[in-house]
Amino acid sequence: MLEAPFMLRALAELTLLALICGPVSVFVFARRLSFVADALTHTVFPGVVAGFLVSGADGVFGGALVAGLVTAVVLTLLTRGGLLSDDAATAVVLTALFSVGVALVSRRSSYTSDLTAFLFGRLLTVTPGQLVETAVLAVLTLTLVAIGARAWVFRAFDVGGAAAAGYRIARLDLALNLVVALVVVAAVRAVGTILVVALLIVPAAAARMLTDRLIAMAAAGTVLTLLCGYAGLWLSWTASVDHGVRLTSATAVVLALVLAYVLLLPVGLLRRRRPA
Amino acid sequence: MTYAYAEAVLAGALAGLIGVQVVLRRLSYFTMALTHATFPGVVAAAILGVSITLGGALAGVLVACGVAALTRRRGQDAAAATGVIVAAGFAIGVGLVALQDGFSRELSSFLVGSIVTTGRQDVVTTAIVLILVAGVLAFFGRGLLFTGFDAAAARSAGYRPGLYDLLLLVTIELVIVTIVPAVGTILALALIVAPAAAARLWSTRLPVVTGLAVTLGMLSGLLGLPLSGLLDIAAGAAITLVAAAFLIASLAARRTS
Amino acid sequence: MAEPPPPGPVPAQRHASQPTALRIEAAGFGYRGTTVLWDVELTVGEGRTLALVGPNGAGKSTLIKSVTGLADLVTGSVTVLGRALPKARGLAAYVPQAETLDPDFPVSAADVVLMGRYRRIGWWRPTGRADRDAALAALDRVGLADRASTRFGLLSGGQRQRVLVARAIAAEARLLLLDEPLNGVDATSQERILTALGELTATGTAVVISTHDLAVAARIADQVCVLNGRQWAAGTPGEVLTPEVLREAYGNHAVDLPDGRTMLVET
């Protein structure tokens, strides 16, 4: 299947995302930010729609970026306020902003196909330009991760200790939320929301079954994502070319990742039972 | 259109009622996982030609038990497992849809619902479920509260927290299966969490919070529908925005006071 | 700098010559503007040990967390090593209760101790040989050098607490804040921790430790402060750990007397 250039580009995009999401998902895991990651992927939607309405396809990236950064800030503030519990605040931000997106898009005639594009992305129509965008964001994200990693681990493990050591907890939290937002923005147009969610959560969760080391988790997560990305692309290719089943490639990649997680579950349970 | 209004109000009441439990126990993300995990059940039921409510409910209860087992351990693994279920549920549902035609339409109606096409049968079902859930909460309310607040103390007092957790899960799942076809997953989550979270800001007494949550849920439905007509936007989105507006107003009011 | 008159019979003479590690003046502590601990007035000299005692919910944790920046200083002032809060953040090392930390978290004992070095390492420099050596040396001080690569959550409760003390040692801070470090800790670990604290104070580090155990307070502290919603008494163990003072502060709670007996104090 790789003789088709668009498949090669799809694989390149997935490779870049695997490099980002292996490490970033470790922090999402350690800080239990699954719900925040989920919320960010949904709240980027109104930005995508608004960006498109304002200046067409070129506005999508900017719109998504603005929406992602705004959500990261709002979520950080709301979960610090203490009036609402974290999860309720996140749920409301997620649903409310997603609804703004749906409200905007439902005024257009191509309603359902727009929604579908957002959910599944257009992995097979990734352009070289988009690849460059993703690569730039990958470098930016990985640099931020390299700088912030120690502080984030400390904060995730022991807030009190990190605060006493002089770290500003609010700023650390905001920075991590912003990094997650950047990843979402980098990936959402190409691979769609559900795959972004899966990429931010599953790699570390699956890798945790294999190792107790954070660095090893990041590496294993990246390798796993690469394997599943390739497997998913092959699966959707075979399904549509050989069997006429229109399985989107993003969906297939998610299914491959989830399958890997399920297969690794017993490994994790076994390791836990007999601690080395 | 009368049916749509009746459904919106009943769904609001139902969501507000169960929402109090969801918010107090911090089960918002878990509820989202349940909504997503119900999706493949509904699709499978449609493919097999059995009743969607029944199929969804059956799959939902199975999923609820699975989710409960996976997330039994608190901590990082639980949060991650919930996230995996959200992604998996949605992807499996979409995969199943792909086996059929009519791909996009069903998908968007799953996300945002199709309240305008509600019929008499749907309204009757929602009303019955409302009575059922109210009965369950009235009858088991004390135990649910006790086990949710302090499982260890409840256990020593003779309650069985595991059973109560399961009862609550199944009840939440029942609500989801009932309201998702009409209002969609995203709205279902909003309608469950937002009114209860808003009500929680005004009082700490459970009966007051519950009453207020039900009222706000019903108002969200009642005001959201005409708003959607007025602005020409999707009904589910309009109702969600009204529910969120109630919460924001409550936050502002409580913060300044 | 005028020394404020300490409340109660504090042995001011003995401390006056010492440079101050921690000074708390007319302070109220709490969360989000709600004060839970009033009227605290304390001075800890370098190399000195202050024990905070009091019943559950007395405000011991709140005081410690306020100094670390996790709870709020509502009124008054707190000065750490000559710098006032909030500028003083990062100067003290904090030892939380081990059981409040997630045992599933994927870090090894050495990783945890290395966290104590992070502020020295800074944002940009990679973790170096010297930092690793310092971490291992700190682990050795609490007798856990051979468990360096064991996952934190697989250690016993007492060993976890020792790892956290090692983290504070590795931080080389001049002020240590320990929140109930002896709760549910085995005898070996308790001795290891107390010995390590003794070695630290001998080199001039000041220690603030909260504890339920009045016998331990009497044994290691130069100064004891009895808290219950406010500061009830402060002074040498001999002055403060008396039935009269404790009965007043604890109400009708059970009290472990310094000589090891338990006394039920009636109101």
Side-chain angles (χ1 to χ4, degrees), chain A residues 59-72:
Chain A
V60 168
F61 186 75
L65 193 62
V66 171
L69 300 185
V70 167
T71 316

PDB file of all heavy atoms in Angstrom, chain A residues 59-72:
ATOM      1  N   GLY A  59      -8.005  29.572   7.590  1.00  0.00           N
ATOM      2  CA  GLY A  59      -8.284  30.059   8.947  1.00  0.00           C
ATOM      3  C   GLY A  59      -8.410  28.951   9.961  1.00  0.00           C
ATOM      4  O   GLY A  59      -8.429  29.209  11.167  1.00  0.00           O
ATOM      5  N   VAL A  60      -8.495  27.711   9.487  1.00  0.00           N
ATOM      6  CA  VAL A  60      -8.750  26.599  10.391  1.00  0.00           C
ATOM      7  C   VAL A  60      -7.664  26.461  11.446  1.00  0.00           C
ATOM      8  O   VAL A  60      -7.938  26.347  12.633  1.00  0.00           O
ATOM      9  CB  VAL A  60      -8.893  25.286   9.589  1.00  0.00           C
ATOM     10  CG1 VAL A  60      -8.866  24.088  10.511  1.00  0.00           C
ATOM     11  CG2 VAL A  60     -10.177  25.308   8.786  1.00  0.00           C
ATOM     12  N   PHE A  61      -6.411  26.530  10.984  1.00  0.00           N
ATOM     13  CA  PHE A  61      -5.294  26.329  11.903  1.00  0.00           C
ATOM     14  C   PHE A  61      -5.291  27.400  13.004  1.00  0.00           C
ATOM     15  O   PHE A  61      -5.231  27.090  14.197  1.00  0.00           O
ATOM     16  CB  PHE A  61      -3.975  26.354  11.126  1.00  0.00           C
ATOM     17  CG  PHE A  61      -2.792  26.009  11.959  1.00  0.00           C
ATOM     18  CD1 PHE A  61      -2.553  24.696  12.338  1.00  0.00           C
ATOM     19  CD2 PHE A  61      -1.913  26.995  12.377  1.00  0.00           C
ATOM     20  CE1 PHE A  61      -1.453  24.373  13.107  1.00  0.00           C
ATOM     21  CE2 PHE A  61      -0.819  26.684  13.150  1.00  0.00           C
ATOM     22  CZ  PHE A  61      -0.584  25.372  13.511  1.00  0.00           C
ATOM     23  N   GLY A  62      -5.416  28.657  12.575  1.00  0.00           N
ATOM     24  CA  GLY A  62      -5.428  29.754  13.542  1.00  0.00           C
ATOM     25  C   GLY A  62      -6.589  29.637  14.510  1.00  0.00           C
ATOM     26  O   GLY A  62      -6.420  29.810  15.720  1.00  0.00           O
ATOM     27  N   GLY A  63      -7.761  29.325  13.978  1.00  0.00           N
ATOM     28  CA  GLY A  63      -8.951  29.182  14.826  1.00  0.00           C
ATOM     29  C   GLY A  63      -8.747  28.104  15.864  1.00  0.00           C
ATOM     30  O   GLY A  63      -9.030  28.297  17.053  1.00  0.00           O
ATOM     31  N   ALA A  64      -8.226  26.967  15.412  1.00  0.00           N
ATOM     32  CA  ALA A  64      -7.992  25.852  16.328  1.00  0.00           C
ATOM     33  C   ALA A  64      -6.987  26.246  17.403  1.00  0.00           C
ATOM     34  O   ALA A  64      -7.172  25.949  18.589  1.00  0.00           O
ATOM     35  CB  ALA A  64      -7.501  24.632  15.561  1.00  0.00           C
ATOM     36  N   LEU A  65      -5.937  26.947  16.979  1.00  0.00           N
ATOM     37  CA  LEU A  65      -4.891  27.347  17.920  1.00  0.00           C
ATOM     38  C   LEU A  65      -5.467  28.256  19.009  1.00  0.00           C
ATOM     39  O   LEU A  65      -5.270  28.019  20.203  1.00  0.00           O
ATOM     40  CB  LEU A  65      -3.775  28.079  17.156  1.00  0.00           C
ATOM     41  CG  LEU A  65      -2.469  28.287  17.919  1.00  0.00           C
ATOM     42  CD1 LEU A  65      -1.847  26.957  18.283  1.00  0.00           C
ATOM     43  CD2 LEU A  65      -1.497  29.104  17.082  1.00  0.00           C
ATOM     44  N   VAL A  66      -6.240  29.272  18.570  1.00  0.00           N
ATOM     45  CA  VAL A  66      -6.831  30.196  19.537  1.00  0.00           C
ATOM     46  C   VAL A  66      -7.745  29.440  20.497  1.00  0.00           C
ATOM     47  O   VAL A  66      -7.647  29.569  21.728  1.00  0.00           O
ATOM     48  CB  VAL A  66      -7.602  31.317  18.808  1.00  0.00           C
ATOM     49  CG1 VAL A  66      -8.405  32.141  19.810  1.00  0.00           C
ATOM     50  CG2 VAL A  66      -6.632  32.206  18.045  1.00  0.00           C
ATOM     51  N   ALA A  67      -8.640  28.606  19.940  1.00  0.00           N
ATOM     52  CA  ALA A  67      -9.588  27.878  20.784  1.00  0.00           C
ATOM     53  C   ALA A  67      -8.861  26.967  21.759  1.00  0.00           C
ATOM     54  O   ALA A  67      -9.209  26.890  22.945  1.00  0.00           O
ATOM     55  CB  ALA A  67     -10.545  27.067  19.919  1.00  0.00           C
ATOM     56  N   GLY A  68      -7.820  26.283  21.278  1.00  0.00           N
ATOM     57  CA  GLY A  68      -7.076  25.369  22.145  1.00  0.00           C
ATOM     58  C   GLY A  68      -6.409  26.105  23.299  1.00  0.00           C
ATOM     59  O   GLY A  68      -6.514  25.691  24.455  1.00  0.00           O
ATOM     60  N   LEU A  69      -5.763  27.219  22.986  1.00  0.00           N
ATOM     61  CA  LEU A  69      -5.067  27.961  24.032  1.00  0.00           C
ATOM     62  C   LEU A  69      -6.059  28.552  25.031  1.00  0.00           C
ATOM     63  O   LEU A  69      -5.836  28.502  26.242  1.00  0.00           O
ATOM     64  CB  LEU A  69      -4.197  29.069  23.412  1.00  0.00           C
ATOM     65  CG  LEU A  69      -3.110  28.563  22.447  1.00  0.00           C
ATOM     66  CD1 LEU A  69      -2.221  29.703  21.970  1.00  0.00           C
ATOM     67  CD2 LEU A  69      -2.251  27.480  23.110  1.00  0.00           C
ATOM     68  N   VAL A  70      -7.183  29.089  24.516  1.00  0.00           N
ATOM     69  CA  VAL A  70      -8.194  29.656  25.413  1.00  0.00           C
ATOM     70  C   VAL A  70      -8.729  28.572  26.353  1.00  0.00           C
ATOM     71  O   VAL A  70      -8.846  28.774  27.562  1.00  0.00           O
ATOM     72  CB  VAL A  70      -9.344  30.297  24.606  1.00  0.00           C
ATOM     73  CG1 VAL A  70     -10.532  30.591  25.510  1.00  0.00           C
ATOM     74  CG2 VAL A  70      -8.859  31.574  23.943  1.00  0.00           C
ATOM     75  N   THR A  71      -9.030  27.390  25.798  1.00  0.00           N
ATOM     76  CA  THR A  71      -9.542  26.315  26.645  1.00  0.00           C
ATOM     77  C   THR A  71      -8.543  25.919  27.710  1.00  0.00           C
ATOM     78  O   THR A  71      -8.901  25.693  28.870  1.00  0.00           O
ATOM     79  CB  THR A  71      -9.851  25.056  25.816  1.00  0.00           C
ATOM     80  OG1 THR A  71     -10.513  25.446  24.638  1.00  0.00           O
ATOM     81  CG2 THR A  71     -10.723  24.107  26.601  1.00  0.00           C
ATOM     82  N   ALA A  72      -7.269  25.832  27.321  1.00  0.00           N
ATOM     83  CA  ALA A  72      -6.245  25.446  28.296  1.00  0.00           C
ATOM     84  C   ALA A  72      -6.237  26.422  29.461  1.00  0.00           C
ATOM     85  O   ALA A  72      -6.183  26.017  30.631  1.00  0.00           O
ATOM     86  CB  ALA A  72      -4.874  25.402  27.623  1.00  0.00           C
TER      87      ALA A  72
END
